Amino acid sequence: MNLNVRTATAADVGPLLSLIGSAYRGEESRKGWTTEADLLTGDRIDEAGLLAKIAEPDGVMLLATDGDNAAASSGSGGALVACCELLRRNHRLGYFGLFAVEPRRQGGGLGKRVLRIAESYAREMLGMERLEMQVIWTRAELIAWGYVRTGEKRPFPYEQLVSGARALRDDLYFEILEKDLVSSEEAISVV
């Protein structure tokens, strides 16, 4: 698949909300392996939260579309297939999160490819040496991909769930994973 990656803008909020919702919550999410539908209900993020991430001066939202660069950069081509957030924690450490891949395209290598591009972007464009991610402890299938457990655990933000969202369990917490960013063979293609 020809893949185009670019930074998100406020105009991308609607499609991004749809992608994130389909990848994490509800029946559509069950077609993929990243579903949180058995853990949480409702939206994962709302419009205001996503706009804040897009406007964050120490971060970037990346989105990936299928299609050629010319069509995607003109705004006329390619279906949205994945997104992620990169956020600077300090001068060396960044955060990788809000990773969503269209459920029907999961399991075919697209997520790994987007992750490699995001890692390369974090290193080359943002100067990060390490990335961390936080994963709900029950999601063993996500505790992989070259990231290692740090031993740190963080509380789950029950009080910060989007309006209408609800946790289905009261024992959730995050495990913190980290990865040193090393040279990637995947060239950055961000427009």
Side-chain angles (χ1 to χ4, degrees), residues 104-149:
R104 291 172 300 220
R105 296 182 188 233
Q106 292 179 17
L110 175 63
K112 288 180 185 176
R113 187 170 170 204
V114 171
L115 177 60
R116 284 193 312 266
I117 292 170
E119 290 168 349
S120 182
Y121 187 95
R123 183 183 65 252
E124 295 176 23
M125 305 301 287
L126 302 176
M128 297 174 185
E129 296 175 13
R130 292 184 343 269
L131 274 182
E132 75 171 16
M133 66 171 73
Q134 52 188 35
V135 178
I136 296 175
W137 73 271
T138 61
R139 306 299 313 280
E141 68 275 14
L142 296 180
I143 301 173
W145 294 18
Y147 285 74
V148 297
R149 288 181 165 108

Side-chain angles (χ1 to χ4, degrees), residues 65-68 70-79:
T65 58
D66 64 0
D68 64 69
S73 64
S74 72
S76 65

Side-chain angles (χ1 to χ4, degrees), residues 146-190:
Y147 285 74
V148 297
R149 288 181 165 108
T150 65
E152 181 182 355
K153 294 178 172 61
R154 293 184 188 151
F156 187 83
Y158 290 99
E159 69 285 350
Q160 295 174 7
L161 291 174
V162 173
S163 178
R166 181 172 65 87
L168 301 175
R169 298 175 60 148
D170 64 1
D171 64 343
L172 301 177
Y173 62 86
F174 292 115
E175 285 198 54
I176 307 307
L177 313 175
E178 272 192 15
K179 181 177 183 179
D180 287 326
L181 300 179
V182 295
S183 295
S184 172
E185 294 178 20
E186 180 101 31
I188 294 179
S189 175
V190 178

Side-chain angles (χ1 to χ4, degrees), residues 7-13 16 49-57 59-61:
T7 57
T9 68
D12 298 311
V13 167
L16 283 168
L50 192 52
L51 283 169
K53 289 181 182 298
I54 290 170
E56 171 59 52
V60 64
M61 281 290 302

